[in-house]
């Protein structure tokens, strides 16, 4: 069953990553997703039978919906091992991933993360008995987290206005992993959870959670854990999370993250690129804090110091930031921001005229922002 699930999942992944997707492929992927989901359910049922037949369910609650197993059918040799539990958890992770890639949803794909968590709980309980020979590994927790995150993506596609729960579920699994004294999370689990929080729509603490994970990775790396070294993509994910945060401190937090990335860049530990500055400017343009605009010149200077050339979006976002500051400031400061916005537009026009490597175009957006400043 697991082998067949893996084969079906690989085909769906191949089609999902194809540069020229087609309607036939989408239909085939949905059929494969249905197949994978059905196989995962069968694997789940087989494990339930193994527990009941071997007598494990005599000591722990049975996953069976109804019915009992007669004593004449008992067979202790069918007692599940860690491999069997891990296989079913992996089956649910693959089913939700396949459903996500095929844009398919069903009752089972919605329940998959909860079923995976129940099997994880069973393994954690059995681990207290040294005679059971069953114990979860880092991979076990990772695949349960995978099921949570992928299932949330499927749910979001069918109900886009509904607040996502995948990151919250994945966080609860991650917290259990960190509480397990026998194993420790790796960079893989941190990055999966980081992506989950960045993609979590509507959660008020998503950006704070993402930044906390990023800072923990930094601390672990400084402590000697080389695999925890934050990458450019990790930092960009945190900056992206702040662009979606509705918080008066969002712009300052994004600037702090960027400053940390720039310091790491100076030590050759991490790079910074145009996206980093664009994310920060986006966060600033959405801020209602009146004095955030005074940091715009400093940000553009920093771009120059790091050999990063602003593009059209950067200038437009800077002008929009200054416009918003003018709106939320007193008359004296509003005039200063208006002048700063005009100067930024002039700087943009000069950059446009001398631009060669970077294409900059002034548009109606640029001038409209200035008119309403």
């Amino acid at each position: 069953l697991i082998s067949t699930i893996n084969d079906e999942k690989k085909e769906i992944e191949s089609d999902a990553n194809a540069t020229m997707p087609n309607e036939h492929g989408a239909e085939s992927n949905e059929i494969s997703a249905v197949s994978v989901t059905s196989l995962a359910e069968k694997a789940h049922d087989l494990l339930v039978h193994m527990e009941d037949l071997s007598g494990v369910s005599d000591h722990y609650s049975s996953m069976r919906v109804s019915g009992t197993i007669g004593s004449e059918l008992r067979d202790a040799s069918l007692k599940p091992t860690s491999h069997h539990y891990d296989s079913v958890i992996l089956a649910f992770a693959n089913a939700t991933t396949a459903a996500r890639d095929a844009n398919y949803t069903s009752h089972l794909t919605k329940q998959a993360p909860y079923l995976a968590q129940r099997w994880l709980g069973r393994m954690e309980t059995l681990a207290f008995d040294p005679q059971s020979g069953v114990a979860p590994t880092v991979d076990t927790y990772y695949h349960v987290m995978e099921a949570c995150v992928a299932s949330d993506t499927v749910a979001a596609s069918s109900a886009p206005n509904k607040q996502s729960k995948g990151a919250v579920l994945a966080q609860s699994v991650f917290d259990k992993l960190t509480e397990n004294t026998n194993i420790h999370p790796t960079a893989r689990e941190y990055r999966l959870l980081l992506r989950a929080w960045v993609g979590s729509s509507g959660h008020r603490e998503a950006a704070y959670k993402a930044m906390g994970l990023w800072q923990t990775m930094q601390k672990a790396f400084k402590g000697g854990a080389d695999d925890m070294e934050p990458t450019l993509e990790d930092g960009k994910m945190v900056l992206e999370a702040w662009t979606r945060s509705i918080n008066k401190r969002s712009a300052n937090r994004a600037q702090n993250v960027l400053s940390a990335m720039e310091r790491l860049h100076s030590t050759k530990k991490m790079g910074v690129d145009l996206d980093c500055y664009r994310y920060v400017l986006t966060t600033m343009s959405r801020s209602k804090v009146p004095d955030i605009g005074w940091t715009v010149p400093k940000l553009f200077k920093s771009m120059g110091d790091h050999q990063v050339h602003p593009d059209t979006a950067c200038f437009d976002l800077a002008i929009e930031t200054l416009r918003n500051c003018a709106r939320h400031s007193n008359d004296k400061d509003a005039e200063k921001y208006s002048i700063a916005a005009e100067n930024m537009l002039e700087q943009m026009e000069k950059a446009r005229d001398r631009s060669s490597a970077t294409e900059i175009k002034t548009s109606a957006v640029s001038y409209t922002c200035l008119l309403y400043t």
Side-chain angles (χ1 to χ4, degrees):
L1 284 171
I2 301 304
S3 176
T4 306
I5 288 173
N6 288 336
D7 291 341
E8 293 279 4
K9 178 172 170 284
K10 287 178 181 177
E11 286 190 20
I12 294 174
E13 286 179 344
S14 177
D15 287 342
N17 295 326
T19 55
M20 296 289 288
N22 57 69
E23 185 177 345
H24 176 72
E27 183 179 348
S28 174
N29 284 346
E30 183 170 336
I31 294 173
S32 295
V34 172
S35 174
V36 169
T37 303
S38 175
L39 292 169
E41 188 172 22
K42 289 179 181 179
H44 166 81
D45 291 342
L46 280 173
L47 184 54
V48 172
H49 282 296
M50 291 179 72
E51 280 201 334
D52 289 345
L53 289 167
S54 64
V56 171
S57 298
D58 295 346
H59 306 286
Y60 308 97
S61 59
S62 175
M63 296 281 192
R64 181 181 291 278
V65 177
S66 62
T68 57
I69 297 294
S71 58
E72 70 280 2
L73 297 175
R74 294 301 178 89
D75 185 348
S77 68
L78 291 176
K79 183 179 177 181
T81 65
S82 293
H83 166 74
H84 298 106
Y85 289 105
D86 282 333
S87 294
V88 172
I89 288 173
L90 178 59
F92 282 126
N94 284 339
T96 51
T97 302
R100 178 198 63 195
D101 293 340
N103 292 320
Y104 166 75
T105 184
S106 70
H107 175 71
L108 184 63
T109 57
K110 293 177 181 178
Q111 293 301 312
Y114 303 103
L115 292 171
Q117 286 183 84
R118 286 180 66 186
W119 286 121
L120 171 61
R122 173 77 96 220
M123 294 182 75
E124 290 176 325
T125 301
L126 290 170
F128 286 112
D129 179 7
Q131 301 300 318
S132 71
V134 174
T137 65
V138 173
D139 287 340
T140 309
Y141 288 95
Y142 176 76
H143 292 311
V144 177
M145 291 173 64
E146 253 191 330
C148 295
V149 176
S151 177
D152 187 57
T153 307
V154 174
S157 63
S158 59
N161 295 325
K162 188 176 181 180
Q163 182 171 321
S164 54
K165 297 180 180 178
V168 176
L169 294 175
Q171 181 72 59
S172 67
V173 177
F174 181 83
D175 291 342
K176 292 175 72 176
L177 169 57
T178 57
E179 292 167 4
N180 192 318
T181 57
N182 298 318
I183 52 180
H184 302 284
T186 66
R188 179 184 59 171
E189 287 73 51
Y190 273 94
R191 289 195 171 101
L192 176 62
L193 188 56
L194 180 57
R195 288 195 298 272
W197 280 117
V198 173
S200 178
S201 59
H203 199 287
R204 298 184 63 178
E205 297 183 1
Y208 283 104
K209 295 286 188 182
M211 188 166 74
L213 290 165
W214 183 70
Q215 290 174 331
T216 302
M217 291 179 70
Q218 279 192 347
K219 184 177 180 181
F221 174 65
K222 291 178 181 177
D226 292 340
D227 66 315
M228 285 290 191
E229 181 178 7
T231 65
L232 172 62
E233 293 304 317
D234 296 333
K236 285 164 70 170
M237 282 195 287
V238 178
L239 291 174
E240 182 183 355
W242 282 116
T243 66
R244 301 174 183 174
S245 175
I246 305 174
N247 188 299
K248 65 180 182 180
R249 297 184 179 87
S250 297
N252 287 329
R253 295 288 186 270
Q255 289 176 345
N256 291 339
V257 172
L258 179 61
S259 296
M261 293 177 69
E262 289 175 334
R263 288 194 295 272
L264 289 171
H265 175 70
S266 64
T267 61
K268 306 300 181 184
K269 294 294 184 182
M270 181 189 295
V272 286
D273 63 11
L274 182 61
D275 287 335
C276 300
Y277 294 95
R278 195 185 290 126
Y279 281 134
V280 174
L281 284 165
T282 299
T283 308
M284 292 171 63
S285 70
R286 296 172 181 174
S287 174
K288 294 182 180 179
V289 178
D291 60 352
I292 196 67
W294 297 126
T295 61
V296 170
K298 179 182 176 181
L299 190 63
F300 271 72
K301 182 182 183 302
S302 182
M303 292 176 72
D305 293 341
H306 291 89
Q307 305 299 312
V308 176
H309 303 286
D311 62 358
T312 301
C314 289
F315 281 108
D316 283 343
L317 290 167
I319 293 171
E320 185 177 354
T321 300
L322 295 168
R323 178 198 66 177
N324 292 338
C325 290
R327 285 182 171 182
H328 296 103
S329 300
N330 55 47
D331 293 340
K332 183 178 179 181
D333 287 338
E335 184 178 355
K336 292 180 180 179
Y337 281 124
S338 296
I339 294 172
E342 289 182 33
N343 293 336
M344 183 59 64
L345 181 60
E346 290 178 5
Q347 185 178 339
M348 182 180 185
E349 291 172 335
K350 290 178 181 178
R352 176 199 61 194
D353 295 338
R354 65 172 179 264
S355 176
S356 56
T358 304
E359 186 177 3
I360 297 176
K361 295 181 178 179
T362 50
S363 65
V365 174
S366 312
Y367 293 100
T368 301
C369 279
L370 193 59
L371 286 172
Y372 283 95
T373 301

